[in-house]
Amino acid sequence: PMVSARDGASGFKIDKIPFGKGAERLAFRFQEVDELGNFLGKMMVAKEKKGTTSDEIKKIKFHENFCRIQVVAERLAEFFNKALLKTPSLRPIYDYQRIPNIEFLKCRVYGFNDTYGKESGFLVENYLKGRFTKYNGNNGFVNRNKSEKGPTIELSCGTVALTDFLHAFSHWSYIFTQNRILVCDLQGVLNEEGRYPRFQLTDPAICSRGLKGNFKYGKTDIGWRGIRGFLHSHKCNHVCRCLGIS
């Protein structure tokens, strides 16, 4: 849904230069301000479509589609997190440890009037703090860099790298949806600031088994080609085996 400024905000400030670039969008630091120009709330990220367009309705629909993809991914992640907790062999050996949650940022389309008074909008979401990592892609890429594996956890089934849960999630999403969709292009940060670790992810891709040339989830949905690429590159780990999907 489209949202507008919070109470007390009279505008916003946004960087002129993007700090991140994706296949289709640019990411800018963004924050609301009051009448005196003082910052309000937390710093956010505004994502804008690459290139220029005069069709604001089309652009807003573009942003809404990305929100829809992220909502679908988040819903599947919720089911995955529950499936992990119901699997005895994935229980941590030590009481002070806990398997990581997988979460996708909540995003929305932020509406405003531009300098010409024309209704406009861009996608906004929370700013992720920490080391941003791309864990897998929609083209078969799987990050196997040992330095990116990060922390491990001792489970009943053995020692598992926390990043193994992400690759297992992509694999599981395909099995859980009866080979209809694969959630991939997982990227974000591992947040260890709280009591338990959690992966906070953004900009996922969903590859679907639709009719040729009729993909449901935007340009990053490259269909069977993306699914086949992941399945070819992915190596099942302890998490996959414990979930019975290897």
Side-chain angles (χ1 to χ4, degrees):
M2 182 176 286
V3 298
S4 55
R6 72 177 71 205
D7 291 341
S10 60
F12 59 84
K13 291 184 179 179
I14 184 170
D15 284 349
K16 294 182 179 179
I17 300 174
F19 71 90
K21 298 179 181 181
E24 298 184 79
R25 298 183 296 172
L26 303 173
F28 300 84
R29 291 180 179 86
F30 156 92
Q31 196 163 359
E32 290 182 312
V33 296
D34 62 18
E35 293 180 351
L36 299 177
N38 298 313
F39 289 118
L40 296 173
K42 295 180 180 180
M43 182 166 66
M44 307 281 284
V45 173
K47 295 182 177 179
E48 186 61 287
K49 190 177 188 297
K50 282 185 174 179
T52 58
T53 177
S54 58
D55 191 338
E56 285 296 325
I57 294 177
K58 186 176 181 180
K59 188 181 74 169
I60 289 172
K61 287 183 177 179
F62 171 85
H63 292 315
E64 288 175 341
N65 183 62
F66 271 95
C67 287
R68 183 173 67 91
I69 293 170
Q70 214 141 302
V71 167
V72 172
E74 171 62 18
R75 187 63 177 144
L76 286 171
E78 290 173 357
F79 283 117
F80 179 73
N81 293 332
K82 290 177 182 177
L84 296 177
L85 295 176
K86 293 178 181 179
T87 306
S89 53
L90 292 175
R91 289 176 62 90
I93 292 177
Y94 304 110
D95 291 338
Y96 64 87
Q97 288 189 315
R98 181 174 172 178
I99 56 178
N101 252 26
I102 294 177
E103 305 170 357
F104 288 88
L105 294 182
K106 290 179 173 58
C107 60
R108 53 203 181 278
V109 179
Y110 186 96
F112 61 94
N113 291 327
D114 64 18
T115 53
Y116 301 101
K118 188 176 180 181
E119 185 175 318
S120 187
F122 41 55
L123 184 147
V124 295
E125 62 186 22
N126 287 339
Y127 179 81
L128 286 175
K129 296 180 180 179
R131 183 178 181 180
F132 194 92
T133 303
K134 188 178 182 73
Y135 300 101
N136 63 37
N138 69 336
N139 59 355
F141 166 74
V142 174
N143 191 339
R144 294 198 179 92
N145 189 335
K146 292 183 178 180
S147 66
E148 302 289 1
K149 278 189 171 286
T152 59
I153 186 172
E154 298 295 329
L155 304 177
S156 299
C157 64
T159 303
V160 175
L162 295 189
T163 53
D164 283 349
F165 287 92
L166 293 174
H167 302 305
F169 168 64
S170 287
H171 185 183
W172 175 91
S173 69
Y174 186 59
I175 304 300
F176 181 75
T177 61
Q178 299 180 331
N179 300 355
R180 290 190 178 93
I181 64 175
L182 174 84
V183 182
C184 53
D185 210 5
L186 302 185
Q187 52 198 313
V189 303
L190 173 60
N191 186 335
E192 297 183 277
E193 290 183 355
R195 187 176 179 186
Y196 301 115
R198 55 194 174 120
F199 285 102
Q200 295 178 295
L201 307 176
T202 184
D203 289 351
I206 294 180
C207 293
S208 63
R209 292 289 296 271
L211 298 174
K212 187 175 182 181
N214 184 29
F215 304 125
K216 297 180 179 179
Y217 300 99
K219 291 184 178 180
T220 55
D221 178 0
I222 59 174
W224 172 240
R225 181 161 58 94
I227 295 171
R228 181 180 58 194
F230 173 82
L231 296 177
H232 178 75
S233 301
H234 171 66
K235 292 183 179 180
C236 283
N237 53 51
H238 279 314
V239 183
C240 298
R241 288 186 282 274
C242 291
L243 289 172
I245 60 173
S246 62

